[in-house]
Amino acid sequence: MSRPRVVIAGLGDSGLLTAIKLSRHADVVGISVKPALVSGQELGLRVSRPRDWARDNWIPFENFRGLDRVRTVQATLTGVDFEHRVVHAQAPDGTAVTEPYDALVISTGVSNGFWRRPTVQTPEEIAAELRATHERLGAARSVIVVGGGAAAVSAAGNLATVWPDKRIDLYYPRDTALAEHHPKTWESVQRKLVERGVGLHPGHRAVLPDGFTGAEITDAPVQWSTGQPPAQADAVIWAIGKVTPNTGWLPPELLDEGGFVKVTPELRVCGHQRVFAIGDVAASDPMRASARARADGLLAHNVRAELEGGACKTYHPPKRRWGSVLGIQPDGLEVFAPNGSAFRFPAWSIDRVLMPWIVRRGIYKGVRENRPLR
């Protein structure tokens, strides 16, 4: 009896983990515009310490032992035929790609700023982009970060750590940042930002020109709709959470008003059998938290259940965001629970326990040596 064929459309964090879990039970094909996992996480480390960021967040697919059974295809998704169960895509050289499936997982994520874009890239282009951003910020005497989410807070905090002589200012629209986290999380992180000399500016909502997405670092004065005078710096990072779901290849009836994929509590795409969605692209809950809530295990179970006639499980989203905010720091890693309490991995444990055993072996099922950026 032949094994079922599962196509994973999008191999970011969620798609990759789902592919690893399904590869023992099905013939899995993963389609990605990148030749590697290029995570959209840890913006602060990406812009301030790109080599450290690349070691853990830019990993060629062939380095994942858990993907040894998975066939990966670098291509841009162009459409899907649900009646005949075929996904259509285009290879970098323009060749048409067709991949039939028994089950389909949509995990194409979102576009956000300059660090999350659905563009086809070679390893050389990825490396050049990382270096250019780092050098651009390194040459700036002052940096403004606009936004109140984890990406903005992380960028400001890490830039201030690496370049303590720069003027770093964080502008956010509410009285506090990290509004989707527990208030205790912001209280803790705020103290660290102040200690590092970051200027904090609550109550500033930026004026965005029509069509502006924040997809580049700018240097023009930032205007505020909340009445304050303009602010200016040598470099402005826009981490305003203005995300665009990567769903242009899907029929409109699958999408909600924001363009995200409508799903049931089982993460099944509404109105379709054997089609699922996970991660930032899935309208699973207001925070679209299935990526950060590690729903890949539940989804893999449900895909198998649908193929084999079993019972699906229900996804229960967290009420608040959780996890690390600043990422790995010189003194270790602090991870916040949904209730705002923090757990610290001391610095000595990062390279001895956390990354090799918990992340690379436990979560990813083995990662071969990775040195993508030299």
Side-chain angles (χ1 to χ4, degrees):
M1 182 177 178
S2 61
R3 302 206 309 172
R5 182 184 178 95
V6 180
V7 170
I8 312 288
L11 284 179
D13 298 282
S14 297
L16 185 143
L17 289 169
T18 304
I20 289 173
K21 287 182 169 60
L22 285 171
S23 63
R24 293 186 177 184
H25 311 283
D27 292 331
V28 179
V29 178
I31 303 175
S32 172
V33 292
K34 313 293 186 187
L37 171 67
V38 183
S39 177
Q41 304 301 311
E42 305 289 4
L43 174 63
L45 296 181
R46 176 175 177 142
V47 297
S48 65
R49 290 184 280 147
R51 285 184 176 83
D52 293 342
W53 177 88
R55 181 191 62 183
D56 301 325
N57 295 281
W58 170 22
I59 306 175
F61 292 136
E62 60 266 24
N63 285 19
F64 290 96
R65 298 185 188 278
L67 291 183
D68 286 349
R69 299 184 182 92
V70 175
R71 180 167 62 87
T72 61
V73 179
Q74 187 174 10
T76 301
L77 293 156
T78 57
V80 57
D81 182 342
F82 291 115
E83 180 180 358
H84 298 98
R85 291 181 178 164
V86 175
V87 170
H88 298 283
Q90 186 179 63
D93 63 2
T95 304
V97 175
T98 58
E99 294 290 348
Y101 65 84
D102 294 304
L104 171 64
V105 175
I106 300 169
S107 53
T108 43
V110 297
S111 299
N112 185 13
F114 58 83
W115 63 96
R116 300 178 74 179
R117 296 180 296 151
T119 53
V120 174
Q121 288 181 301
T122 65
E124 294 76 18
E125 289 169 337
I126 296 170
E129 184 177 75
L130 287 172
R131 290 192 183 98
T133 298
H134 182 67
E135 291 169 2
R136 169 80 171 82
L137 294 171
R141 293 169 298 176
S142 57
V143 179
I144 285 174
V145 183
V146 183
V153 171
S154 173
N158 280 280
L159 289 171
T161 299
V162 172
W163 289 302
D165 294 335
K166 293 186 189 297
R167 180 171 62 83
I168 310 295
D169 289 283
L170 175 65
Y171 291 83
Y172 43 98
R174 302 188 183 188
D175 293 336
T176 64
L178 301 179
E180 293 182 336
H181 292 70
H182 193 279
K184 289 196 299 185
T185 301
W186 170 239
E187 292 173 7
S188 177
V189 175
Q190 181 184 30
R191 287 194 295 270
K192 293 180 173 60
L193 296 179
V194 172
E195 290 171 0
R196 299 177 191 186
V198 176
L200 301 179
H201 306 273
H204 285 67
R205 186 174 297 278
V207 175
L208 304 180
D210 291 342
F212 181 73
T213 62
E216 61 181 16
I217 295 173
T218 62
D219 59 6
V222 182
Q223 308 287 336
W224 310 106
S225 64
T226 38
Q228 300 89 348
Q232 188 164 16
D234 295 334
V236 180
I237 295 176
W238 297 83
I240 52 179
K242 190 176 178 61
V243 302
T244 302
N246 298 323
T247 52
W249 61 287
L250 292 170
E253 59 267 21
L254 265 65
L255 312 178
D256 66 9
E257 293 180 355
F260 299 92
V261 180
K262 295 181 290 187
V263 294
T264 70
E266 296 76 29
L267 300 182
R268 183 188 296 114
V269 173
C270 295
H272 291 271
Q273 297 295 314
R274 299 186 177 185
V275 182
F276 298 82
I278 188 173
D280 290 314
V281 77
S284 55
D285 59 278
M287 295 189 297
R288 300 186 305 280
S290 63
R292 287 157 292 279
R294 290 301 311 279
D296 50 279
L298 178 145
L299 178 60
H301 168 88
N302 287 355
V303 171
R304 292 182 61 197
E306 186 128 321
L307 290 170
E308 299 167 6
C312 288
K313 297 180 179 180
T314 299
Y315 168 66
H316 299 284
K319 295 181 180 180
R320 294 186 183 273
R321 292 203 185 277
W322 62 278
S324 169
V325 175
L326 297 176
I328 296 173
Q329 301 294 293
D331 62 351
L333 174 70
E334 193 169 40
V335 178
F336 294 93
N339 66 0
S341 61
F343 176 81
R344 174 176 293 280
F345 290 90
W348 66 264
S349 70
I350 302 300
D351 291 331
R352 297 181 190 177
V353 179
L354 176 63
M355 297 311 301
W357 293 100
I358 298 177
V359 176
R360 298 189 186 107
R361 181 164 294 192
I363 296 177
Y364 289 124
K365 309 307 178 187
V367 179
R368 299 176 180 93
E369 185 177 9
N370 181 46
R371 294 181 179 177
L373 189 65
R374 299 179 186 274

